[in-house]
Amino acid sequence: MTAIATTQVPDAISSVHTDLFIDGEWVPAAAGDRFDVLNPATGEVLAQVADADATDARRALETAAAHQAEWAATSPRNRSEILYRAYELIMNRVDEIASVMTAEMGKPLAEAKGEVAYGAEFFRWFAEEAVRIGGDHTTTGDGGTRIVVSRQPVGPCILITPWNFPLAMGTRKIGPAVAAGCTMVLKPAELTPLTTLLLADILVEAGLPAGVLNVVTTTDPSTVVTEWMDSGLARKVSFTGSTEVGKTLLRQAAGTVMRTSMELGGNAPFIVCADADISRAVDGLMLAKMRNTGQACTAANRIFVHRSVIDEFTEQFTAKMAALKVGDGAADGTQVGPLVEPKAVAKVASLVDDAVSKGASVACGGGGP
């Protein structure tokens, strides 16, 4: 792989709020603590963000609970129009949002722009769904009684998003909550909070009332989220992340019988059969493996190739991988950005070392650029 030059911190970072967003206001953490957000390509500090504790978490959720009844009473059309305005605002600021995302997460700028468009679509979709929340009615078997089913907002929601798709995972969770009439507390990943904070500002501009969305950034997610889960105020949790953390949240949710939506880890085998078109298989694997710099839960993580085509497949796959350009995601020509943090680099290096120690050979790469 070829390494290319790095670039400077984008100007858009300076306009992003870095405090907690609670009850429509940007406020510092109660203890005054802050943490650094780094550019994974350079190690440079992009911003210092408020570092919340249990006190801040409690305040955010109490705010969401206090506004729930009023927000639930708003008209579906009003909620729809807020989401559609937010969609338009995002699409008008694609370059700005993408530059912030690339700076804090590392993905190539072209992919970041693609995520902005993809993420904005969740707001447009749920803007349309907000006015189509229906119900049902039927009669009992004896014909003497009519049963009417109506759908109501479930109540305050806990939203927990991962670092690898910081905009799209936010819009994917916020969109349905707004459409349904639920208030929410949102904890973004500590590695990529800036995109979420920028998204909160966009929703304010779109007309989202104070207290509906509350964003809490923290380096102590266990304390913050446990405060929410044990409170009895939240009625739903939506989490995208590891299976291990998901199991913990499910156990905590059982205590108050919370509704849950879990998008957890998985395995994604890529299988090449003996009769495969090898060129097409390799092209498919490049998409399946290298999207988002390979940092996606859907990325192929095990490749099984029939022994009769292994040599041809390896030759073509190695050539494609070796031709990729590695560098700062904001630099022209970058196809593979940095891994999100040093811990991820160390993990990948250990996997390579383990494979080699067990008989594997390195066809290309195998070390840092």
Side-chain angles (χ1 to χ4, degrees), residues 265-313:
N267 287 301
F270 190 93
I271 303 170
V272 183
C273 299
D275 61 349
D277 180 325
I278 301 303
S279 294
R280 289 184 63 190
V282 169
D283 289 342
L285 180 57
M286 294 299 293
L287 291 172
K289 183 61 185 173
M290 297 311 296
R291 178 193 180 201
N292 209 51
T293 312
Q295 300 175 111
C297 59
T298 56
N301 53 20
R302 293 173 295 156
I303 305 168
F304 299 98
V305 183
H306 194 278
R307 61 171 52 90
S308 66
V309 295
I310 184 65
D311 291 339
E312 181 184 2
F313 180 88

Side-chain angles (χ1 to χ4, degrees), residues 158 160 221-232 234-235 237 239 244-260 262:
I158 299 169
I160 306 169
S222 177
T223 295
V224 165
V225 175
T226 297
E227 179 69 29
W228 290 341
M229 296 295 290
D230 293 345
S231 68
R235 301 309 310 142
V237 57
F239 170 72
E244 180 182 2
V245 173
K247 288 179 179 179
T248 299
L249 293 173
L250 288 168
R251 285 192 292 266
Q252 292 174 327
T256 54
V257 197
M258 274 170 119
R259 292 166 173 81
T260 62
M262 297 283 126

Side-chain angles (χ1 to χ4, degrees), residues 187-260:
K187 187 204 76 63
E190 65 186 87
L191 294 171
T192 57
L194 300 176
T195 302
T196 302
L197 294 169
L198 180 55
L199 177 59
D201 208 27
I202 289 171
L203 282 160
V204 171
E205 187 177 348
L208 190 69
V212 175
L213 171 66
N214 304 275
V215 180
V216 175
T217 53
T218 183
T219 58
D220 188 8
S222 177
T223 295
V224 165
V225 175
T226 297
E227 179 69 29
W228 290 341
M229 296 295 290
D230 293 345
S231 68
L233 294 174
R235 301 309 310 142
K236 177 173 176 80
V237 57
S238 175
F239 170 72
T240 300
S242 72
T243 301
E244 180 182 2
V245 173
K247 288 179 179 179
T248 299
L249 293 173
L250 288 168
R251 285 192 292 266
Q252 292 174 327
T256 54
V257 197
M258 274 170 119
R259 292 166 173 81
T260 62

Side-chain angles (χ1 to χ4, degrees), residues 70-91:
E70 181 182 5
W71 175 240
T74 60
S75 70
R77 177 59 64 193
N78 182 36
R79 301 197 295 265
S80 172
E81 289 174 348
I82 290 170
L83 285 172
Y84 194 77
R85 284 195 296 270
Y87 160 76
E88 291 184 315
L89 288 168
I90 291 172
M91 294 307 296

